[in-house]
Amino acid sequence: MSTQPARAQANKPNRWIQLILGIVCMASVANLQYGWTLFVLPIQHHFGWTKAEIQIAFTIFILFETWLVPFEGAIVDRIGPRWMIAAGGVCTFIAWGIDSMATSLWMLYLGGAIAGFAVTIPLYVHFTLGTAEMQFVEAVEWIPRFNVNYLLGVDGISLLFVLLNSFVTVLVVWAGWVVIE
């Protein structure tokens, strides 16, 4: 009798654990970006810093999130995707810690830089350069009765536009704060 099917079943990762861990990871990383605006006013009132000074941390986050991808590619080629993803998790943990204990602008900026590095790791690690097909595809039925669907993905050309959009976002934030002041 062979025990191979039993071994194969034992080595299969539990899909529910992967789903739960994926949600936890996405929440910890996405909140660094999407929850930022909720913290600007409390930080301003607590420390007395200007909005422009606080927003520099977000600008640093966006810059590191976009422009470090080529360097991350060189790192992942050397150490492999598993260790790179683990490093991203550690960097996210460190960034949350630094941001939660920041008492100076420089600590806040450092947290933004580390977080920006951490969130782009999965993008580069899982992007396949040798294909023209869409990657990171999200497909959801929107109005099934009329066959209307939501479809989003990144290909080799649009990856450059994702990076460009991130750069332009930094310029818009910077220009916006100059006008507001």
Side-chain angles (χ1 to χ4, degrees), residues 7-177:
R7 259 192 229 141
Q9 186 67 21
N11 290 336
K12 271 189 176 178
N14 186 327
R15 292 183 298 179
W16 289 104
I17 291 174
Q18 286 182 330
L19 175 66
I20 291 167
L21 288 175
I23 290 171
V24 168
C25 290
M26 285 306 299
S28 68
V29 171
N31 284 330
L32 292 167
Q33 184 170 354
Y34 300 118
W36 179 257
T37 57
L38 299 174
F39 298 103
V40 173
L41 288 178
I43 290 171
Q44 182 183 21
H45 292 300
H46 183 75
F47 292 105
W49 302 329
T50 66
K51 286 182 184 176
E53 290 172 327
I54 297 167
Q55 288 303 97
I56 289 172
F58 188 73
T59 303
I60 292 169
F61 169 79
I62 296 296
L63 285 172
F64 274 68
E65 179 184 27
T66 55
W67 296 102
L68 283 181
V69 172
F71 301 108
E72 291 167 0
I75 295 170
V76 79
D77 288 343
R78 289 187 179 171
I79 67 173
R82 183 173 296 218
W83 287 106
M84 193 66 178
I85 295 294
V90 170
C91 286
T92 302
F93 177 76
I94 291 170
W96 272 98
I98 290 172
D99 284 343
S100 71
M101 296 183 293
T103 56
S104 70
L105 284 169
W106 290 108
M107 282 181 72
L108 194 65
Y109 299 162
L110 178 63
I114 293 171
F117 172 76
V119 299
T120 58
I121 290 172
L123 178 66
Y124 190 85
V125 169
H126 295 293
F127 191 82
T128 305
L129 295 174
T131 182
E133 295 181 18
M134 296 294 281
Q135 298 179 50
F136 309 117
V137 175
E138 295 294 328
V140 179
E141 286 186 337
W142 186 26
I143 308 172
R145 184 175 190 177
F146 299 108
N147 197 26
V148 176
N149 301 309
Y150 171 79
L151 182 66
L152 176 71
V154 178
D155 63 5
I157 294 173
S158 62
L159 180 63
L160 298 174
F161 290 116
V162 169
L163 297 174
L164 177 64
N165 183 40
S166 299
F167 177 70
V168 170
T169 300
V170 171
L171 294 178
V172 168
V173 169
W174 175 76
W177 285 117

